[in-house]
Amino acid sequence: DIQMTQSPSSVSASVGDRVTITCRASQDLSRGLAWYQQKPGQAPKLLIYAASSLQSGVPSRFSGSGSGTDFTLTISSLQPEDFATYCCQQAKSFPLTFGGGTKVELK
Amino acid sequence: EVQLLESGGGLVQPGGSLRLSCAASGFTLTSRSMTWVRQAPGKGLEWVSGISRSGDGTYYVDSVKGRFTISRDSSKNTLYLQMNDLRTEDTAVYYCAKASGDWWVGESWGQGTLVIVSS
């Protein structure tokens, strides 16, 4: 199984900050990586797929980069509604696997 | 508008069975691959099972193989997860998700249904 290691597990930031979250895969994913946002009591929301493709309706302050084993989610200017948990998922092979999540908290 | 509505969760004893349903609207189930993902209380996301768009490919995480079965009824536009021999570690919120085109990622999600396995 492909292991997904996400870091950091939490980050404290302020509105307007640039936030970067990384995900490392134990095997080459090519571009088979997605990012989700999840708020308490809600289902996950797809932000990025194919490593860098922005899902329709997602603000452009979210961006994804990387290929192979190392990937990054960047929030260019953190907004109040962005405080949430972010999670990566590899879509290269079964079983699909998720990273452990990064909680973005208010500093 | 795409909507997914899960149902069928509840409290069940270890060794028991449940069948989860995911009623889809706004699209045809046979047009997309579908997945089940679960989240144990206070924990991260875990992919459980998937069914291909054609329906001839079904996939499972090792921990549920032989116990869970994914299926769909095109006449009802509904996805199912039959869960047998339930264990306490199966306790979680179960989400169904519609895949995004050719990618096995969750483009649209239901609100989830809670399964509690406890004596």
Side-chain angles (χ1 to χ4, degrees), chain A residues 2-107:
Chain A
I2 297 176
Q3 308 303 314
M4 303 301 297
T5 303
Q6 194 173 332
S7 61
S9 58
S10 66
V11 58
S12 296
S14 301
V15 172
D17 284 353
R18 182 183 184 89
V19 173
T20 300
I21 299 167
T22 64
C23 203
R24 175 164 289 177
S26 61
Q27 299 176 30
D28 186 348
L29 306 181
S30 184
R31 298 185 67 78
L33 192 284
W35 290 98
Y36 300 91
Q37 176 193 69
Q38 188 177 27
K39 297 180 180 180
Q42 296 185 18
K45 174 187 175 183
L46 180 64
L47 301 175
I48 303 286
Y49 65 97
S52 60
S53 296
L54 191 68
Q55 175 67 5
S56 176
V58 174
S60 58
R61 63 181 179 272
F62 292 94
S63 64
S65 64
S67 65
T69 61
D70 293 308
F71 301 86
T72 299
L73 173 71
T74 300
I75 310 172
S76 60
S77 178
L78 198 66
Q79 298 302 299
E81 61 270 29
D82 300 337
F83 291 98
T85 297
Y86 295 84
C87 187
C88 61
Q89 178 227 313
Q90 65 84 10
K92 176 68 172 178
S93 65
F94 293 105
L96 307 179
T97 45
F98 289 87
T102 296
K103 188 173 184 180
V104 177
E105 302 174 299
L106 181 63
K107 182 184 289 184

Side-chain angles (χ1 to χ4, degrees), chain B residues 11-105:
Chain B
L11 175 64
V12 62
Q13 292 188 337
S17 298
L18 279 177
R19 188 179 78 158
L20 304 184
S21 300
C22 172
S25 59
F27 74 104
T28 303
L29 262 189
T30 52
S31 69
R32 290 294 180 93
S33 298
M34 297 290 295
T35 66
W36 287 96
V37 174
R38 66 185 178 185
Q39 188 167 35
K43 302 296 184 182
L45 299 168
E46 180 184 32
W47 174 81
V48 175
S49 181
I51 185 167
S52 65
R53 180 174 55 190
S54 65
D56 59 6
T58 56
Y59 311 93
Y60 302 91
V61 68
D62 280 351
S63 61
V64 309
K65 278 181 184 174
R67 301 189 298 123
F68 290 12
T69 303
I70 190 171
S71 64
R72 65 189 186 186
D73 184 334
S74 56
S75 67
K76 296 182 179 179
N77 214 35
T78 298
L79 178 74
Y80 301 102
L81 187 67
Q82 177 67 44
M83 304 187 298
N84 299 330
D85 188 24
L86 282 160
R87 305 168 180 169
T88 55
E89 56 264 35
D90 296 319
T91 294
V93 174
Y94 284 73
Y95 297 99
C96 66
K98 166 177 165 278
S100 173
D102 293 330
W103 294 92
W104 282 91
V105 298

